[in-house]
Amino acid sequence: MQPSDVEGDLSRVLHTETEIADRIGDLCRRIEADEPADGDGRPLLLVGVLKGAVMVMADLARELRIPVEMDWMAVSSYGSSTRSSGVVRILKDLDTELDGRRVLIVEDIIDSGLTLSWLVANLRSRGPASVEVCALLRKPEAQRLAVDVKYSGFDIPNEFVVGYGLDYAERYRNLRAIAVLAPHVYT
Ligand code: IMP
Ligand code: MG
């Protein structure tokens, strides 16, 4: 779906499909460069956070020129409103044991950082070799976070955005661009 298909629902496009693809490419080149030269025998494990990270996971994984494994977690921190509840709950856990693994959490967006800091601590407690974070989008508050986001795509203003996996009440995930949702849609 293109921005023009839901034009009346959007205030403005922040990042086009092409810009997103370019930035994903940059992130992949950095991730590849950080692979240990000697290797530890196990591929990097990408952990996608459902459902928002589905698009970034699909594009990032295919753009990477190194072998990876993919697993998924579902946690809830947002209902169908536009504000973080502060409550993190595991809805679906990993199928993979993290013992000794190099883990890269793949996130769509970091807002308050509540979800992320909880997730990093949770995965670190499972004995992995390392846990790093890749997030396509970062809101201003996230930059004050204690949690280090090693790979981050775009810093965006503190507005509610949709598209490229991000939803409002489960809609707009299939929008190819990232756009600010028009306030009349949620007020
Ligand atoms: P945090 O815990 O406040 O960092 O929120 C993280 C989660 O909230 C993200 O993974 C998204 O699912 C959701 N979220 C935060 N900001 C937005 C937004 O602007 N649009 C859509 N979802 C958002
Ligand atoms: Mg998310």
Side-chain angles (χ1 to χ4, degrees), residues 35-36 39-45 67 69 96-97 99-102:
E35 275 285 283
D40 57 5
R42 308 290 300 276
L44 181 67
L45 176 66
E69 290 179 22
T96 315
E97 301 289 332
D99 215 40
R101 297 298 301 266
R102 289 176 299 112

Side-chain angles (χ1 to χ4, degrees), residues 116-128:
L116 181 72
S117 40
W118 180 89
L119 198 59
V120 169
N122 182 285
L123 298 192
R124 287 216 167 115
S125 74
R126 305 183 193 193

